[in-house]
Amino acid sequence: MSINTLVVSYLPGGKASNTKKLLDYFLENVKNAGIETLDLIKTVPDFFTPASLAVYYERNYGGRKPDPSREGFIKKMDNMTRQLQSAEVAVLVYPMHNFSIPAAVKAWFDSVMQKGQTWDVSSKGGFLGKLSGKKALVLSTSGGVYEGDTASYDLATPVVRTEFLFMGFSEVEFISAGGMNSLPENKKKESLDHARKKIGEIIAKWYEI
């Protein structure tokens, strides 16, 4: 049985990217997976504009079908949302930028966080995630090591965890390699190797049936 897996990546470092090394390890070792990829550099998510936001509120909050001439304003957002809805596992891959997620990754979340599609308001007035049962694996690297006294500098992890859990994801796993710009080469290799080991454990847990 093939597990539908959406890989969403933002890797501005290209072939030199340390984060790409983690993604490559995942792709080389995962089995029983039907892989769909979304490269946020090649397919840049849209930001909301006055026109697209108006269509979004009109449709997702007001329940009104927009005029066909205006539906195109949120077409890319809708396509990204459908990709996520069809996936059983989402693999999100990015380097930490200035203590948080890159702008393209936040724009992707803004695209797929759609009322009525990935979340809604329950009959009791609370929030309801509509993507229950799905799993997310987050692969990232950072220039510094954010543990102990510096753990609060990591603003990326709590944001990403909140986004996925709000949409109803049942499991969200984070695997990060820190110190890519600050550790000596041998320690940097240890950090990457430790992350690879953890990726292997997730593959064994989620994919080997």
Side-chain angles (χ1 to χ4, degrees):
M1 183 177 66
S2 181
I3 298 173
N4 294 334
T5 301
L6 174 64
V7 176
V8 181
S9 64
Y10 177 75
L11 299 169
K15 293 181 180 179
S17 168
N18 287 302
T19 321
K20 184 178 184 298
K21 295 174 184 177
L22 302 185
L23 175 57
D24 288 345
Y25 185 86
F26 173 84
L27 294 174
E28 290 163 5
N29 289 275
V30 72
K31 296 177 175 61
N32 304 318
I35 303 290
E36 181 178 7
T37 61
L38 174 59
D39 184 338
L40 298 182
I41 291 177
K42 294 180 180 177
T43 306
V44 180
D46 286 340
F47 293 122
F48 273 114
T49 64
S52 61
L53 190 62
V55 172
Y56 173 71
Y57 272 107
E58 179 181 320
R59 184 190 69 182
N60 293 58
Y61 281 83
R64 300 186 297 276
K65 183 175 175 58
D67 184 274
S69 65
R70 299 167 63 234
E71 288 181 332
F73 293 148
I74 56 173
K75 181 178 180 180
K76 186 186 288 187
M77 292 180 173
D78 286 345
N79 288 341
M80 290 182 177
T81 301
R82 282 191 289 268
Q83 282 182 310
L84 185 60
Q85 288 173 316
S86 66
E88 297 169 81
V89 174
V91 180
L92 180 61
V93 190
Y94 59 83
M96 180 188 286
H97 279 182
N98 300 314
F99 310 114
S100 191
I101 55 177
V105 177
K106 181 58 169 68
W108 176 75
F109 274 121
D110 288 347
S111 295
V112 301
M113 189 74 77
Q114 291 207 26
K115 182 182 183 300
Q117 297 298 317
T118 57
W119 69 275
D120 215 329
V121 178
S122 72
S123 58
K124 297 180 179 179
F127 295 117
L128 174 68
K130 296 178 70 69
L131 302 185
S132 62
K134 298 183 186 295
K135 301 172 183 177
L137 173 61
V138 182
L139 306 179
S140 66
T141 61
S142 58
V145 178
Y146 302 111
E147 300 172 355
D149 292 342
T150 58
S152 62
Y153 289 8
D154 176 8
L155 304 177
T157 299
V159 168
V160 172
R161 178 183 286 112
T162 299
E163 299 270 12
F164 278 124
L165 292 179
F166 188 83
M167 291 187 287
F169 275 67
S170 301
E171 293 185 57
V172 185
E173 294 285 349
F174 290 82
I175 299 176
S176 178
M180 296 299 101
N181 297 338
S182 58
L183 293 177
E185 285 301 315
N186 64 319
K187 293 296 183 181
K188 186 167 79 171
K189 182 179 182 301
E190 286 180 12
S191 184
L192 288 168
D193 286 344
H194 180 67
R196 292 186 183 101
K197 180 182 177 182
K198 292 176 69 176
I199 291 170
E201 292 171 355
I202 290 294
I203 290 173
K205 179 181 175 183
W206 289 1
Y207 288 93
E208 295 184 6
I209 33 181

